[in-house]
Amino acid sequence: MSGVGFGMGQRPVNRRQRAVKALWTGIWLVYLSAPVTDLLHGGHSTGVRVLGWIGLAAFVTWYMLLVFRTGRGERNALVLGSLGVLAAQSTLLALTLGREWLVLFVYVSIASGAALPLRMARWTIPAACALLTAGALAVPGGHSYLAGLLIPALLGGFAMTGVRELVRTTIALREARATVAQLAANEERLRLARDLHDLLGHSLSLITLKSELAGRMLPGHPGKAAQQVADIEQVSRQALVDVREAVTGYRRPRLGAELAGARVALTAAGVAADLPAEPDLTGVPEESESALAWALREAVTNVVRHSGARRCTVELLHRQTLDGPVLELTVEDDGSGTGDGYGNGLTGLDERLTKAGGTLEAGPARQGFRLVARVPSAGPADVGSPA
């Protein structure tokens, strides 16, 4: 927030917020009314009053600087040194000016809880209380103030340790929330890159093949060439729709549509296609179907672009495994393969299948390249039978 208020654990970023924090930090200085009253009406000499005002101003300034900068990463040794200065000022003023000044030890205890981690504050707070007790016993009439100051010093100091931990937790939660938002943005960018690669790789490969085919047909068969151009227009329009849907994040490819698209792409590339009939996907989760549809698209795109194959076989089977029923897609060609390692497409496909709870196997086969994708299936298991 850019106004007066700001969240717990946030550093003030402008003058107004700094003024608000200074006000909330300094409002507790109202309990210094006893030393102020002593300086005004305590019957001290002028020189003593001047020195008392200087000592009180130095104490308040040091205290405010220490508490105001709490949580900015100062070393504990520096904080301990500052607390030592505050304790020394409190002791000197209490011993020289009287029992009214014992209240300064309460501020030393509170500053300990606010500025030090709990593992150290649990020792410095009792130490400040011990100094308060010793000072009260040493100053005339101080024992009558001891009960009224010792409990606030002890409880106030440890209460401030709780506030400090709350602030630290709030900061950690805010940083964790920012990290989660960044990871979500990265995941969305990865999803978009993956979708665009799969969508455009397939569509542009098909457009290229049909363009080459139309170019060869144009001199002798202009009618057939015109049909190829019409197919190119249709594929282009569908690719544009797919990209728009992918950008908005709503696209879920269907396996039946991808099988039909695979047949068109393989036929246009001159690859004999052996594809299953329309699959029965009753009970199969949408996420599993979508993952297999992406797997089929990526596999067919690789066959068309890289393999130089003459034949491609696609099988879709329901299988029962030890982990439960799965739907298995196998794409095998007789070409020269797609390389030894995973490219961007197969890497993204592996991520998709893993997210859907499935697995991917891809590598050289006996006569070409073989890709096997498996996803969990809620449908009935039919071991070894075509879908």
Side-chain angles (χ1 to χ4, degrees):
M1 298 173 61
S2 60
V4 174
F6 52 97
M8 176 177 290
Q10 288 182 307
R11 295 178 183 175
V13 296
N14 54 46
R15 290 184 178 179
R16 182 173 296 181
Q17 291 182 358
R18 293 189 186 96
V20 170
K21 182 171 182 178
L23 177 62
W24 280 107
T25 305
I27 195 172
W28 304 104
L29 297 177
V30 68
Y31 293 102
L32 291 177
S33 58
V36 172
T37 302
D38 179 64
L39 288 174
L40 294 176
H41 309 291
H44 300 293
S45 64
T46 303
V48 171
R49 284 202 300 268
V50 171
L51 292 176
W53 283 113
I54 293 174
L56 183 60
F59 179 89
V60 171
T61 302
W62 203 272
Y63 169 81
M64 291 289 289
L65 288 175
L66 179 60
V67 176
F68 192 80
R69 295 184 61 84
T70 296
R72 299 203 179 182
E74 285 85 353
R75 294 173 297 177
N76 290 330
L78 180 60
V79 176
L80 285 172
S82 299
L83 290 172
V85 172
L86 288 178
Q89 290 177 333
S90 302
T91 303
L92 179 62
L93 291 171
L95 292 178
T96 56
L97 296 177
R99 60 185 183 178
E100 289 80 4
W101 295 78
L102 292 172
V103 70
L104 300 182
F105 287 103
V106 177
Y107 290 91
V108 176
S109 178
I110 291 175
S112 298
L116 286 175
L118 179 59
R119 69 178 188 277
M120 302 181 70
R122 63 182 180 179
W123 299 107
T124 57
I125 293 173
C129 294
L131 281 175
L132 170 61
T133 303
L137 296 177
V139 173
H143 63 279
S144 62
Y145 280 47
L146 183 59
L149 295 177
L150 187 59
I151 294 177
L154 193 62
L155 296 182
F158 282 108
M160 287 306 299
T161 63
V163 173
R164 174 187 170 90
E165 292 304 314
L166 179 60
V167 171
R168 289 171 62 87
T169 302
T170 303
I171 293 173
L173 288 176
R174 186 176 292 112
E175 292 175 349
R177 184 181 301 173
T179 301
V180 169
Q182 182 63 36
L183 291 176
N186 292 340
E187 179 65 23
E188 180 63 15
R189 283 194 291 268
L190 180 61
R191 180 199 68 82
L192 183 58
R194 198 166 49 215
D195 287 1
L196 290 178
H197 174 275
D198 295 343
L199 289 168
L200 295 181
H202 176 83
S203 300
L204 293 178
S205 297
L206 186 57
I207 290 173
T208 301
L209 288 172
K210 286 188 170 291
S211 299
E212 294 175 351
L213 188 59
R216 292 196 297 268
M217 291 179 174
L218 189 58
H221 305 279
K224 293 181 178 180
Q227 180 60 45
Q228 295 297 326
V229 172
D231 291 344
I232 291 172
E233 180 183 1
Q234 181 180 1
V235 171
S236 301
R237 292 182 182 276
Q238 184 60 43
L240 181 59
V241 172
D242 290 345
V243 168
R244 287 173 176 170
E245 291 178 346
V247 170
T248 55
Y250 295 120
R251 186 178 191 279
R252 277 190 181 273
R254 297 296 181 180
L255 198 52
E258 290 303 323
L259 284 170
R263 187 182 301 276
V264 172
L266 292 171
T267 301
V271 180
D274 185 3
L275 302 175
E278 183 73 19
D280 180 11
L281 301 176
T282 304
V284 176
E286 288 188 3
E287 189 176 10
S288 296
E289 181 188 357
S290 177
L292 281 192
W294 284 116
L296 178 60
R297 171 173 287 213
E298 177 64 25
V300 171
T301 300
N302 286 339
V303 171
V304 170
R305 295 175 60 184
H306 305 300
S307 69
R310 292 172 296 177
R311 184 175 186 83
C312 178
T313 302
V314 178
E315 292 182 346
L316 188 64
L317 306 174
H318 284 283
R319 294 191 183 277
Q320 182 67 37
T321 67
L322 295 177
D323 295 328
V326 299
L327 188 60
E328 179 182 279
L329 172 72
T330 302
V331 181
E332 186 172 355
D333 63 72
D334 60 354
S336 58
T338 60
D340 296 330
Y342 281 15
N344 290 332
L346 291 181
T347 300
L349 179 58
D350 188 32
E351 294 173 355
R352 289 182 189 278
L353 291 169
T354 300
K355 188 175 182 180
T359 59
L360 174 67
E361 297 176 7
R366 184 175 304 176
Q367 295 181 347
F369 192 83
R370 188 168 184 260
L371 180 147
V372 180
R374 300 182 184 90
V375 291
S377 171
D382 188 7
V383 179
S385 62

